[in-house]
Amino acid sequence: MTSIPEALLWCLSAGTAAALVLAAMVVRARMHSAALRQKLSTAEEQNSASLHANTELTARLRATEAEIRHLAGARLPDLTLALAHPHVPVRGLLDPRFAGSETDTALNTALEQIAEAVTKERERVDAAAQSTLRGATTTIQALLYQLQTQLQAMQHRYDDPNIAQDLLSADFLNEQALRRIQATGVVCGAWPGLTREDSYLAELVVGATSRLRGYERVQVTNQLRDPIAVVARAVEPIAITVTELLANALHHSHQELPVSVTLQQGNRGASVIIDDYGVGMHQEELQHAAKLLSGDENLLLTQLGDPPRSGFAAAGQLVRQYGYRVHIESSPYGGVRAIVYIPGDPLLTMLDENTQPMSVMAPVPHRSSAQDRGTLPTRNPGHSVSHTPAPAPAPLAPPAPDPADLLGTASFDAAGSPAAEYPAAGSPVAESPVAGPFAGPAAGPAAGSAPGFTGGPAVGDEPELPRRRRRKPVSELDQTATRSEPQSARTPEETASRWAALQQGTESGRAAAQQSQPPRSPEGNPQ
């Protein structure tokens, strides 16, 4: 039997052990390689996720930058324009994905803060502008009142018809400037600038009418049952309001169309209803006008347009201060209807017509007492005065002056109403514009801007300004009265006849002096 050498056995044992070790190492290497491949795959996935997140972050950053540029280039200009013109829309986000996000909240907060800052600065600048205008308009208004007084004094002083006509034209132009500067001052917070006495509502409306071009188109109907008057402190504010509403009606209707004014009396106050037959207003215009006339909000000068339209804004300021109301709506006649409601408490009062008679320029109220006036001059709804036909003028003995006769020769004050008394020759003219017993409640164009008598210039023609007539000095009237025989009180018929005869004689004298036109009937001279 052949025996295996020990050396070979040891070699075989060593080889087997080496093979086992090698196999274990191979298995371990394979396991390590698998782990490395797993880690590599995870690292690749993480890298891909990082790249995607980085791409999204970059896109969001670019979108945010675009939103900021959109805010500065579009939304902020829209905001500043919308603050001046509320109908202008402000654009929203450029990218809707930011809606409701923190970026959207931050941008809206920035817009609100900018809007608040711009509004405060605009109000501060506007307040400074109003303060400056308030001071300037007050000074100019006082100068215009002084000019009005000087023009009236010149009308009393000169008898030449041509000079008188030129003075009346200048006085009327001065009244137009006075009305505009007064409205501007009221918008800026100034008071109306006049203090008046308690005045009949009908006189107030006639005085407001006399401030406007085209006054001959205004037809006033007085349906008041009682001699209602406006308390002194509210006379000028209400006159300004009625004037601006009439100005709007006259401006937006054809020059051949009338403007109807009706005075109505209710249980708790009185109303002035103004209807025009013009172009009317759209719904947005009516809403804007109602907002201005309500006086509920403080308006900026920049909100009145260019050039600024201060009429309704001035009326709104006065409505808020004095407590009456103005309502505006579409008229049944296709134009605009404006209603000024004056509450009886505390803005209305009653006057005694015996101690303070109503101006002859005011329309007769439709009440029973008006039927007892015999054949006194009656007034039609258009506040024009029609006289009873008078006989041909005959030489009249100079009578003692009485209030009824003086109406034929008296001048008309700034409101278009007969003045209570002319100053004696050489006496100073009062500079105060406060109305007297016969004076109208509103400072219209002195002596000639009141509506004319029936038979005056046709509607649409160039209105002829009334001519002021001078009365004899008081001293001459006294001498005439002492030379004349005492007479009993005249009847209304005699008063009307003398008034008409005096007017016809005056017209004949003027026609002879001017040699430019034949004498007209008494009804043809607008007063």
Side-chain angles (χ1 to χ4, degrees):
M1 177 175 181
T2 304
S3 60
I4 300 174
E6 272 184 33
L8 181 60
L9 183 61
W10 280 105
C11 288
L12 290 174
S13 299
T16 302
L20 291 175
V21 172
L22 183 61
M25 293 179 63
V26 170
V27 171
R28 185 177 179 181
R30 289 179 177 177
M31 292 178 61
H32 184 66
S33 176
L36 290 177
R37 284 194 298 269
Q38 182 67 27
K39 288 182 180 180
L40 179 60
S41 175
T42 302
E44 290 178 352
E45 291 179 358
Q46 290 178 352
N47 185 32
S48 177
S50 298
L51 292 175
H52 182 69
N54 187 27
T55 302
E56 289 186 352
L57 184 60
T58 303
R60 188 177 184 86
L61 179 60
R62 291 176 179 175
T64 303
E65 293 175 351
E67 285 294 341
I68 295 175
R69 287 193 297 268
H70 179 63
L71 174 69
R75 300 180 70 183
L76 286 180
D78 289 350
L79 177 65
T80 56
L81 191 60
L83 291 175
H85 306 282
H87 63 278
V88 176
V90 179
R91 280 172 279 190
L93 293 171
L94 185 64
D95 191 344
R97 293 179 300 175
F98 286 104
S101 64
E102 294 183 358
T103 302
D104 186 18
T105 303
L107 295 177
N108 289 333
T109 302
L111 286 174
E112 293 174 359
Q113 292 178 351
I114 293 173
E116 183 179 358
V118 171
T119 300
K120 288 183 178 180
E121 182 64 17
R122 179 172 295 174
E123 291 176 351
R124 186 189 68 80
V125 173
D126 195 84
Q130 289 190 24
S131 177
T132 303
L133 273 179
R134 186 164 56 246
T137 55
T138 301
T139 303
I140 297 173
Q141 187 175 354
L143 293 174
L144 291 176
Y145 280 132
Q146 293 179 14
L147 177 59
Q148 186 181 65
T149 302
Q150 293 296 328
L151 290 172
Q152 291 176 0
M154 294 173 67
Q155 292 166 22
H156 295 172
R157 187 179 307 122
Y158 298 107
D159 288 328
D160 187 277
N162 296 324
I163 296 178
Q165 187 69 24
D166 293 340
L167 289 175
L168 289 173
S169 301
D171 196 4
F172 192 73
L173 291 175
N174 178 71
E175 183 62 32
Q176 306 307 304
L178 183 57
R179 181 176 71 86
R180 299 296 178 86
I181 205 71
Q182 187 181 38
T184 303
V186 170
V187 170
C188 296
W191 74 295
L194 286 179
T195 301
R196 298 192 177 276
E197 297 179 349
D198 296 348
S199 302
Y200 291 105
L201 181 57
E203 288 184 348
L204 183 151
V205 173
V206 173
T209 302
S210 68
R211 301 181 177 192
L212 302 168
R213 292 188 180 276
Y215 57 80
E216 70 280 354
R217 294 164 50 197
V218 180
Q219 300 176 352
V220 183
T221 302
N222 188 350
Q223 297 185 3
L224 301 176
R225 302 185 303 272
D226 303 312
I228 294 178
V230 180
V231 297
R233 67 183 182 87
V235 169
E236 186 64 16
I238 294 177
I240 294 173
T241 301
V242 174
T243 300
E244 296 304 332
L245 294 174
L246 285 172
N248 180 74
L250 291 171
H251 179 73
H252 291 92
S253 59
H254 194 272
Q255 62 180 357
E256 296 182 358
L257 295 176
V259 173
S260 302
V261 180
T262 305
L263 307 182
Q264 293 279 4
Q265 181 177 352
N267 291 334
R268 296 186 178 181
S271 300
V272 181
I273 305 172
I274 302 172
D275 284 299
D276 67 68
Y277 307 87
V279 298
M281 289 184 176
H282 300 297
Q283 189 62 32
E284 292 183 358
E285 294 174 329
L286 284 173
Q287 293 176 356
H288 180 64
K291 179 181 178 182
L292 292 177
L293 292 170
S294 66
D296 293 336
E297 299 182 5
N298 292 325
L299 295 175
L300 303 179
L301 294 178
T302 53
Q303 294 177 312
L304 301 180
D306 184 16
R309 300 178 180 179
S310 57
F312 282 3
Q317 293 284 345
L318 297 173
V319 163
R320 180 176 59 182
Q321 295 173 20
Y322 291 88
Y324 55 95
R325 297 198 299 270
V326 178
H327 174 73
I328 191 167
E329 61 184 14
S330 296
S331 171
Y333 313 110
V336 174
R337 166 173 289 179
I339 303 173
V340 181
Y341 173 73
I342 309 169
D345 184 17
L347 298 183
L348 295 180
T349 185
M350 304 283 287
L351 294 181
D352 186 357
E353 291 184 290
N354 295 324
T355 59
Q356 186 172 347
M358 188 180 298
S359 167
V360 294
M361 299 304 299
V364 171
H366 293 274
R367 56 177 185 264
S368 58
S369 61
Q371 306 298 329
D372 301 329
R373 304 192 180 190
T375 56
L376 274 173
T378 57
R379 308 174 186 87
N380 59 21
H383 70 264
S384 300
V385 180
S386 59
H387 299 277
T388 306
L396 300 175
D402 58 39
D405 260 351
L406 294 182
L407 292 177
T409 55
S411 68
F412 290 83
D413 66 359
S417 304
E421 187 81 321
Y422 265 69
S427 62
V429 180
E431 295 184 0
S432 173
V434 178
F438 291 92
S449 53
F453 289 131
T454 303
V459 176
D461 296 341
E462 183 68 16
E464 180 181 357
L465 291 175
R467 297 167 181 169
R468 186 184 295 275
R469 301 184 181 120
R470 291 193 63 191
R471 174 188 149 191
K472 291 182 179 180
V474 178
S475 58
E476 296 182 18
L477 288 174
D478 293 341
Q479 295 174 6
T480 304
T482 57
R483 291 195 301 266
S484 62
E485 297 180 0
Q487 298 179 0
S488 58
R490 294 185 181 85
T491 64
E493 293 83 355
E494 293 175 348
T495 300
S497 176
R498 290 175 182 271
W499 188 3
L502 179 59
Q503 287 181 328
Q504 187 172 5
T506 304
E507 286 295 326
S508 300
R510 284 179 176 166
Q514 295 177 354
Q515 296 181 356
S516 59
Q517 58 183 3
R520 294 176 294 178
S521 61
E523 291 83 1
N525 182 26
Q527 297 293 328

